[in-house]
Amino acid sequence: MNDCTDKVFKLIKVNPIAGAVGAEIVNVNLSSNLDQEILKEIYKAFLSFNVIFFRDQKFEPKSQKEFADKIGKPIIYPFVKGLEQFPEITPILKKETDKN
């Protein structure tokens, strides 16, 4: 992490991925009851980097939706069908034959 992100984010660790777009947040468990200040920093990271990543999270669609509701208003993507009980969640599936 560079000095810039150290000064902006006090409660979360943000690792920029590439240039001005994309960052990974590495010290947050999204399935836990997150403090409001942590949620504000996650949202600030989203606004700063446009795309944020959280690796190795273990939560079901219901808790994923609950987290999304805390930082914004999820919308239903009109061109791809979402999950039946959670239409705001669009699954991204990788096949065994996919290389990347």
Side-chain angles (χ1 to χ4, degrees):
M1 181 166 31
N2 63 33
D3 290 337
C4 178
T5 56
D6 285 340
K7 292 174 185 167
V8 174
F9 303 104
K10 304 289 185 207
L11 303 172
I12 63 175
K13 183 175 180 185
V14 179
N15 295 328
I17 300 295
V21 177
E24 177 184 15
I25 299 174
V26 296
N27 65 332
V28 174
N29 177 355
L30 297 178
S31 64
S32 67
N33 188 14
L34 297 172
D35 179 85
Q36 193 64 29
E37 293 304 310
I38 292 173
L39 291 168
K40 286 179 184 177
E41 285 201 2
I42 290 171
Y43 187 68
K44 183 189 266 186
F46 174 67
L47 293 177
S48 297
F49 294 96
N50 301 309
V51 176
I52 53 176
F53 303 91
F54 300 88
R55 296 185 196 273
D56 302 320
Q57 298 293 315
K58 307 240 189 278
F59 60 166
E60 297 299 317
K62 180 181 179 197
S63 55
Q64 185 178 356
K65 169 83 167 60
E66 288 169 353
F67 168 72
D69 286 335
K70 291 177 185 176
I71 61 169
K73 183 179 182 331
I75 61 169
I76 297 172
Y77 187 67
F79 304 109
V80 179
K81 184 172 172 46
L83 299 177
E84 188 169 324
Q85 291 183 327
F86 301 95
E88 305 89 344
I89 299 175
T90 304
I92 299 173
L93 306 174
K94 187 173 182 179
K95 299 176 186 173
E96 289 180 27
T97 56
D98 293 344
K99 299 289 182 192
N100 293 322

